Amino acid sequence: MAIYHLFREEDLCYTFNGDEKNSYHSEKLGPGKGFNFLLNFRLPRFFGFHTVHSIRMILHEPGTAPDFKNDFQSFLDLKAGKYFIIGVKGTNVTTNEQFDGLTEEKRKCKLNEGNEKYSQTECLQQLEINDAINTCQCIPWYMSHLNPETDICTTTNAVCFEERIKNGTNFNDKCLSECSYVQYSASVLKSEDMGLKELCIVNATYAFDNYNSLTEMKYSDLAEAHTIVKVNFDDPKLLVITKDAKVTIPDMVGSIGGTFGVFIGESSFQNF
């Protein structure tokens, strides 16, 4: 099981199955057999750091970076105090040898390099980070593992870095889309208000005699500060799309040769 902790501006991001080589998966399909998790909204809401009314869930392919800007990947905003059942459908886009044999200019997409999977999102994020490093001459402490030789940002430079990431150069023309990928789409199959029974709290006197001194929260607030999410495949079938070259090189050579042959034959016929 792989859950990786990432940062984005003042927010926190946790990515599940970020490592494709050590992925975690269920061997069965159906309700309760997918990815089930509990979201805790308590600390941000009740300690006053900033108000959080929802958490964004981004669906991305294992081994790729989540798309924070939501340009390419499907996402859902999950509100606090809810019980969600999410249905997911997948589309697998692949290529064949004829398509792979085309030049990158003709393909208009980038192939994987050996065992390394190419990700357009990861390419864009890396260019944005490098641009922010060059502009602000530092890197935030939570990204220092990406460039250990760069100085850690001070408070002022940290603002510069985040602003550059948010409003910097657009690198969309520098990163081609992936030739092969898995695209997920999600829909809410069920959404209900959270109840204490979903949290396995049957007795109303639970939670430190109706009052939790650690979070300054009454037991009745527990349901409103949590969300249960159950993610399952809505359809056991996977749509597979294979990219193919419209005209292969042998076909093109044969077509050109045949055309020349027709003209030569017609010319000889007229001369005769």
Side-chain angles (χ1 to χ4, degrees):
M1 182 173 181
I3 297 181
Y4 292 87
H5 188 189
L6 305 177
F7 291 82
R8 174 178 176 262
E9 297 181 6
E10 75 281 359
D11 305 323
L12 301 180
C13 174
Y14 293 87
T15 176
F16 178 79
N17 267 353
D19 186 358
E20 188 178 18
K21 297 179 181 179
N22 298 301
S23 62
Y24 179 82
H25 61 276
S26 175
E27 296 181 354
K28 298 181 180 180
L29 298 177
K33 303 297 183 181
F35 183 32
N36 306 324
F37 57 96
L38 174 69
L39 296 174
N40 182 353
F41 290 78
R42 285 189 294 175
L43 293 181
R45 292 182 65 206
F46 290 88
F47 276 78
F49 292 121
H50 54 81
T51 302
V52 175
H53 298 289
S54 65
I55 292 178
R56 177 156 294 182
M57 183 183 74
I58 303 173
L59 300 180
H60 64 98
E61 187 177 0
T64 64
D67 176 21
F68 296 131
K69 296 183 177 180
N70 309 306
D71 293 329
F72 312 108
Q73 297 167 355
S74 178
F75 68 90
L76 290 173
D77 289 325
L78 307 176
K79 296 182 179 180
K82 293 290 184 178
Y83 176 88
F84 287 105
I85 295 181
I86 308 298
V88 176
K89 294 182 179 179
T91 301
N92 185 17
V93 179
T94 62
T95 63
N96 59 18
E97 292 183 5
Q98 287 74 22
F99 185 86
D100 294 346
L102 297 175
T103 63
E104 194 169 88
E105 182 180 2
K106 291 184 177 295
R107 289 196 309 266
K108 299 186 184 303
C109 61
K110 190 174 181 62
L111 297 171
N112 297 329
E113 298 180 358
N115 295 327
E116 294 295 326
K117 182 171 181 56
Y118 169 76
S119 167
Q120 183 182 29
T121 300
E122 195 166 336
C123 173
L124 290 171
Q125 290 178 3
Q126 189 59 57
L127 290 177
E128 291 171 352
I129 291 173
N130 292 339
D131 177 62
I133 291 175
N134 293 331
T135 302
C136 305
Q137 294 298 304
C138 69
I139 190 170
W141 62 269
Y142 51 81
M143 291 184 179
S144 59
H145 63 285
L146 300 176
N147 197 328
E149 297 179 358
T150 303
D151 294 336
I152 302 298
C153 292
T154 61
T155 303
T156 303
N157 289 341
V159 174
C160 167
F161 191 95
E162 297 295 354
E163 287 296 323
R164 190 65 185 178
I165 290 289
K166 187 176 181 180
N167 303 312
T169 305
N170 188 324
F171 293 103
N172 287 343
D173 60 334
K174 303 293 185 182
C175 297
L176 293 173
S177 61
E178 305 94 333
C179 290
S180 59
Y181 55 90
V182 178
Q183 181 71 41
Y184 297 102
S185 62
S187 60
V188 178
L189 303 181
K190 182 178 180 181
S191 175
E192 297 179 349
D193 291 336
M194 175 72 78
L196 292 179
K197 63 179 181 179
E198 278 81 13
L199 294 173
C200 300
I201 299 176
V202 179
N203 190 346
T205 61
Y206 182 79
F208 300 94
D209 296 327
N210 295 347
Y211 193 84
N212 188 336
S213 59
L214 295 178
T215 60
E216 299 182 357
M217 178 189 298
K218 295 182 179 179
Y219 74 89
S220 59
D221 295 324
L222 285 173
E224 297 180 1
H226 290 81
T227 289
I228 287 180
V229 184
K230 294 186 176 182
V231 183
N232 306 283
F233 276 105
D234 191 20
D235 191 337
K237 298 178 181 179
L238 179 70
L239 176 63
V240 178
I241 299 175
T242 302
K243 293 182 179 180
D244 193 3
K246 289 184 178 179
V247 180
T248 63
I249 294 178
D251 291 339
M252 187 181 299
V253 172
S255 178
I256 294 174
T259 303
F260 276 124
V262 170
F263 283 116
I264 293 173
E266 183 178 355
S267 177
S268 300
F269 177 78
Q270 290 176 352
N271 292 333
F272 178 80

